[in-house]
Amino acid sequence: MQVEIWSDVACPWCYIGKARFEQGLAEFEHKDEVEVVFRSFELDPQRPEGETAQVIPMLAQKYGMSESQARQAEQRVADNARSEGLDYIAEGRDSGSTFAIHRLLHFAKTKGAQNELIDLTFKANFADERSVFGRGRVLELAVEAGLDKDEAAAVYDDPQAYAADVRQDEREAEELGATGVPFFVLDRRFGVSGGQPADLFRQALEEAWRTRPQPLKLPTVPGLGPDDIGTSGEICGPDGCAVPQR
């Protein structure tokens, strides 16, 4: 079963929601049969590359609130993060374009390091004093995730590298009706929106597993099935091919 998670590394509820989902997944009986794939969703796709701003003033301007109200809102989010065992700096963080990071996450997927890179980037963005919105810092995280520095740098420096993959993810999110993130899609049949409690994620996984389509097993003609020794035609299977006796 596949679970796709649309998220943005600038989204605090994506940071929290990932931790809650993983708690729910850990309690799921068939967790080893679940493939998790991260999909791209930019909260601010019009943000120019290289332009950064402090989070509190940005939130105040974006949502038409005072900086005091923005600070209180961030503190409430920080409390939720810390309740999940996550570090969170409520004030002093940068915000910026995440497009290059999304492109690198797609590259990391081809190397089997997507989950490692998104975890490191979430932590760097929400729990470290140093800004994550810069080439040097992003490449440091890529190397820490196990990627080759030169290969990661080539992707970062080419604005077209994996850009189509990011845009495709964003189109699919729109087609699926996602207007915000995190957005979890289970087997392309169930959607869960937001950083829900871990138990809800576990229940959603159980329901998706219980109702998953079963493989089609065709009936055979009586006397010509695979169990009718001597009457079925020659076949190949996991143990090899039947050898004609004459």
Side-chain angles (χ1 to χ4, degrees):
M1 186 168 71
Q2 186 181 77
V3 176
E4 298 164 278
I5 306 176
W6 271 264
S7 62
D8 192 356
V9 295
C11 164
W13 287 110
C14 296
Y15 178 45
I16 296 167
K18 183 177 187 294
R20 291 176 175 174
F21 169 76
E22 288 173 347
Q23 291 172 31
L25 179 63
E27 299 171 2
F28 178 52
E29 181 182 358
H30 305 284
K31 59 181 179 293
D32 293 336
E33 298 176 72
V34 176
E35 176 194 19
V36 180
V37 178
F38 291 92
R39 302 291 189 194
S40 297
F41 189 106
E42 294 173 275
L43 291 178
D44 193 355
Q46 305 307 317
R47 191 75 171 269
E49 286 278 351
E51 179 186 289
T52 61
Q54 289 282 295
V55 166
I56 297 299
M58 181 275 293
L59 290 174
Q61 181 179 11
K62 184 174 183 178
Y63 297 107
M65 62 176 74
S66 69
E67 289 198 11
S68 176
Q69 290 171 319
R71 193 171 289 108
Q72 291 172 15
E74 268 292 277
Q75 188 57 56
R76 288 192 292 271
V77 176
D79 291 342
N80 274 271
R82 291 165 188 155
S83 71
E84 303 297 337
L86 301 171
D87 294 330
Y88 194 100
I89 297 174
E91 191 168 354
R93 301 194 328 272
D94 274 350
S95 65
S97 171
T98 57
F99 187 58
I101 296 172
H102 281 295
R103 293 191 297 102
L104 271 172
L105 284 168
H106 275 279
F107 168 63
K109 181 185 174 186
T110 69
K111 302 295 185 179
Q114 189 184 53
N115 189 62
E116 289 81 356
L117 183 55
I118 200 167
D119 274 345
L120 289 166
T121 309
F122 270 140
K123 185 176 185 299
N125 188 45
F126 291 106
D128 291 350
E129 295 285 350
R130 187 176 168 191
S131 175
V132 74
F133 299 101
R135 182 182 186 277
R137 182 62 171 137
V138 171
L139 292 181
E140 285 179 6
L141 296 172
V143 172
E144 192 174 343
L147 300 175
D148 179 82
K149 184 175 182 179
D150 291 338
E151 290 181 351
V155 171
Y156 188 96
D157 293 338
D158 179 1
Q160 298 306 313
Y162 297 94
D165 299 87
V166 176
R167 298 306 182 213
Q168 177 62 28
D169 280 357
E170 293 173 339
R171 281 193 297 271
E172 288 188 21
E174 184 176 2
E175 291 167 2
L176 291 168
T179 57
V181 285
F183 187 64
F184 302 78
V185 177
L186 286 65
D187 253 6
R188 288 290 170 118
R189 294 183 298 115
F190 294 93
V192 178
S193 182
Q196 302 289 347
D199 192 55
L200 188 148
F201 283 121
R202 178 187 56 77
Q203 292 175 34
L205 288 164
E206 289 172 352
E207 180 64 13
W209 183 268
R210 184 183 68 81
T211 61
R212 73 195 188 283
Q214 297 300 308
L216 179 63
K217 186 174 183 180
L218 297 174
T220 57
V221 176
L224 296 178
D227 297 326
D228 298 303
I229 304 299
T231 61
S232 63
E234 287 79 6
I235 60 172
C236 292
D239 297 324
C241 297
V243 179
Q245 299 302 308
R246 62 179 185 276

